[in-house]
Amino acid sequence: MTEWKKEICAEQPPEFEDAGGGTMIQRRNIEQKNVEATDTMPAYTEWECESRFMDNSEYHLLKSIEEIDTADAIDAYTEQLLEEGVL
């Protein structure tokens, strides 16, 4: 995984995007920005975010971690401790 870097896009970018070659782009803090007109340029809208590159294995690991339900894991652990007589 690379470090987070600022990215500016003309259209709203997806949170995850396949960059090809076994690499994914992850984005966070995606915000729409309105840029005011100047003497030489009309007003326009752009999208600002932070992005980083990761390989496919890092992406799949990240997605599997996101799918873990913490409450279910705590309940299962508590049940295990009760069955073992620790609690």
Side-chain angles (χ1 to χ4, degrees):
M1 237 178 272
T2 61
E3 295 294 318
W4 292 102
K5 297 192 190 261
K6 182 178 175 179
E7 180 181 5
I8 297 175
C9 304
E11 299 176 357
Q12 183 175 6
E15 183 179 353
F16 288 97
E17 182 177 357
D18 187 348
T23 303
M24 299 292 291
I25 302 172
Q26 180 186 13
R27 295 182 178 94
R28 68 178 182 187
N29 301 327
I30 301 169
E31 295 180 3
Q32 183 177 359
K33 302 284 183 174
N34 296 316
V35 180
E36 293 184 18
T38 64
D39 292 340
T40 58
M41 186 175 290
Y44 63 94
T45 301
E46 65 184 17
W47 293 84
E48 252 182 49
C49 63
E50 296 174 296
S51 64
R52 66 180 175 184
F53 289 91
M54 64 179 66
D55 63 37
N56 280 338
S57 62
E58 291 169 323
Y59 168 75
H60 291 296
L61 178 62
L62 182 65
K63 295 309 276 181
S64 66
I65 290 170
E66 288 176 356
E67 291 174 3
I68 295 173
D69 185 345
T70 308
D72 285 346
I74 292 170
D75 290 345
Y77 183 63
T78 303
E79 184 177 330
Q80 178 185 354
L81 291 175
L82 288 170
E83 289 173 359
E84 294 174 358
V86 176
L87 293 179

